[in-house]
Amino acid sequence: MLCFLLLQSVTAYSAEDVSSLENKILQSKGDDKVAFIIEFVKEGSCFSPEKSIQYINEALKLVTENSAEKTLLSNYLGLSKLYLNEFSDAEDILQQALSIAKTAKHKALIYHSLSLLANELNDHKKAIHFIELGFVLAKELNDPQLIGDYYYLKATIYLNSFEHVRAIEVGLFAYQYYKQANNNEAMAMALTEIGSSYRRMAAFDKALEYNLKSLSLQLKTGSKKRVAISYNNVAIIYKDLKDYENAIAMHLKSLAIKESIGYLKGQVYSHNNLGETYRLSDNTDKSLFHLTEALKLARKIKSKKLQHYSYLYLGRLHRDIGQYQEAGKYLTEAIAYFTQKKHNKSPS
């Protein structure tokens, strides 16, 4: 699941940023501790949901009932549960947060989170419903960043429901509002979403065009994590175009940045992508090396989803080299996991 972090215009933190924030949380008290925790969980709810839940529960003991801080903390608690696939708990918490929200901005934030949850459950109709509620508030506030966020999320939902032309249309609206807000990072993400729609339509040249524009903007933001992700996205399009040399070069750039900032989850994606690209270019030795590294890291960070992506790619590799028993073992593991996940995410 993609982490949506646009409503606060946050920047992807480096390992050093995270360490600094955690030190501030440890050393502070009262309102200051709460403020630092809220800053941490803006990204932590996605990238470190278990740790975020611990911090949020600590902060909730320090805030008053019905306070603005409790509303924000409850929203990020719900998001943390969402990113742990604890969907029922996430919905309960987000609905409680909505019931105590006092400002239009906070209500808009929670509608955004509820839409994310509905989208993750493949209930696209409900996701659009929450977006429309949020749009009303965003337009009342006349906030171009907020309006852009809702167009961006709407584009993602259209993308997930295979309405690619509509996804491109609203993605362009998101880009224009982010341009008004002078937010290069958000503009870059909107361009990436448009590129994803073109990729789903197999218009790979247009997908590459938009992803290269996105990369160019990300390079101006100074966010190493986002730049690394952009290199990864461009590499995938080069792979689609069967330009494996450029794909591998871009993936290696992405991996080097992720290693430099200690972004372990991102490293798993890069190793998996490198393994798959090397497989397609008939370099089985390097493919096996990167897929093995991906699996080690996925186990280290205890990500079952990423472990099973590694199993999928390892199954393909062993199939290609004629090791069918080994291939069958990996593919059976992957199929069982993803079939179960699809069943669990079906809306009731």
Side-chain angles (χ1 to χ4, degrees):
M1 183 199 313
L2 179 64
C3 293
F4 285 79
L5 302 166
L6 296 180
L7 279 168
Q8 290 74 43
S9 308
V10 295
T11 301
Y13 298 140
S14 68
E16 292 79 9
D17 294 330
V18 171
S19 178
S20 175
L21 261 179
E22 291 200 86
N23 283 332
K24 289 175 181 176
I25 291 170
L26 182 64
Q27 295 168 10
S28 59
K29 296 180 180 180
D31 291 345
D32 288 340
K33 182 183 285 288
V34 172
F36 288 131
I37 287 174
I38 290 173
E39 189 65 23
F40 177 90
V41 299
K42 284 178 182 178
E43 289 212 1
S45 58
C46 173
F47 295 112
S48 303
E50 295 95 341
K51 186 175 289 186
S52 291
I53 289 171
Q54 293 175 13
Y55 283 140
I56 290 167
N57 286 332
E58 186 178 345
L60 284 171
K61 297 175 183 177
L62 303 173
V63 299
T64 59
E65 200 70 22
N66 299 328
S67 65
E69 290 79 12
K70 182 170 182 180
T71 301
L72 287 172
L73 289 164
S74 298
N75 175 72
Y76 289 116
L77 180 60
L79 281 178
S80 299
K81 294 287 187 177
L82 165 59
Y83 289 120
L84 287 173
N85 296 330
E86 297 176 11
F87 303 124
S88 180
D89 285 349
E91 182 167 15
D92 288 344
I93 292 165
L94 290 172
Q95 289 291 355
Q96 289 171 18
L98 185 62
S99 70
I100 63 172
K102 295 293 192 298
T103 68
K105 190 69 175 280
H106 287 165
K107 288 178 182 177
L109 176 68
I110 298 163
Y111 282 135
H112 191 273
S113 299
L114 284 165
S115 183
L116 283 176
L117 173 61
N119 181 55
E120 184 64 13
L121 292 169
N122 295 321
D123 191 341
H124 301 128
K125 184 177 180 180
K126 183 183 283 188
I128 293 293
H129 169 69
F130 285 126
I131 284 177
E132 296 303 335
L133 293 175
F135 258 131
V136 172
L137 299 173
K139 289 172 183 175
E140 285 177 0
L141 292 164
N142 195 26
D143 184 336
Q145 173 70 37
L146 192 54
I147 295 170
D149 290 336
Y150 274 104
Y151 274 123
Y152 177 83
L153 181 51
K154 197 171 189 178
T156 300
I157 292 164
Y158 282 142
L159 177 65
N160 290 343
S161 55
F162 306 102
E163 298 182 63
H164 301 129
V165 174
R166 295 179 81 177
I168 291 167
E169 289 174 352
V170 296
L172 287 168
F173 279 124
Y175 175 81
Q176 291 300 327
Y177 277 103
Y178 289 144
K179 193 172 183 179
Q180 287 182 37
N182 196 30
N183 188 333
N184 282 337
E185 185 172 326
M187 288 163 62
M189 292 180 71
L191 291 172
T192 298
E193 199 73 357
I194 294 166
S196 295
S197 297
Y198 278 117
R199 182 178 181 240
R200 293 278 187 89
M201 297 166 69
F204 298 128
D205 288 333
K206 292 293 288 184
L208 181 62
E209 174 190 341
Y210 277 94
N211 276 282
L212 285 171
K213 287 179 180 178
S214 175
L215 175 59
S216 179
L217 278 173
Q218 289 288 16
L219 287 168
K220 296 177 182 178
T221 67
S223 169
K224 290 183 179 180
K225 186 178 287 185
R226 297 293 183 205
V227 168
I229 292 169
S230 286
Y231 276 126
N232 179 79
N233 292 337
V234 170
I236 289 170
I237 307 301
Y238 277 126
K239 182 201 71 176
D240 292 336
L241 290 165
K242 296 182 171 57
D243 184 349
Y244 300 128
E245 184 177 351
N246 270 322
I248 289 166
M250 289 288 185
H251 276 313
L252 287 172
K253 284 185 177 181
S254 178
L255 177 60
I257 295 170
K258 290 169 181 175
E259 289 176 338
S260 75
I261 61 176
Y263 179 27
L264 295 180
K265 185 176 181 180
Q267 290 173 45
V268 180
Y269 280 108
S270 286
H271 281 300
N272 271 333
N273 286 328
L274 278 163
E276 178 70 354
T277 308
Y278 275 121
R279 180 186 73 84
L280 292 169
S281 63
D282 297 321
N283 191 328
T284 56
D285 288 341
K286 287 190 176 180
S287 176
L288 182 59
F289 168 77
H290 284 288
L291 293 178
T292 302
E293 288 298 303
L295 187 56
K296 287 179 185 176
L297 284 171
R299 286 171 173 164
K300 181 177 180 179
I301 63 174
K302 300 179 181 179
S303 171
K304 290 185 178 180
K305 178 180 178 180
L306 293 180
Q307 284 181 53
H308 284 82
Y309 270 116
S310 295
Y311 290 151
L312 173 63
Y313 296 135
L314 282 164
R316 290 174 180 173
L317 175 63
H318 285 287
R319 176 202 61 194
D320 288 358
I321 61 180
Q323 295 179 351
Y324 299 118
Q325 186 173 354
E326 195 77 0
K329 181 184 72 173
Y330 284 124
L331 291 172
T332 299
E333 285 275 357
I335 290 168
Y337 175 79
F338 288 114
T339 301
Q340 178 188 19
K341 295 301 291 182
K342 182 177 181 181
H343 174 74
N344 288 344
K345 285 170 57 175
S346 297
S348 56

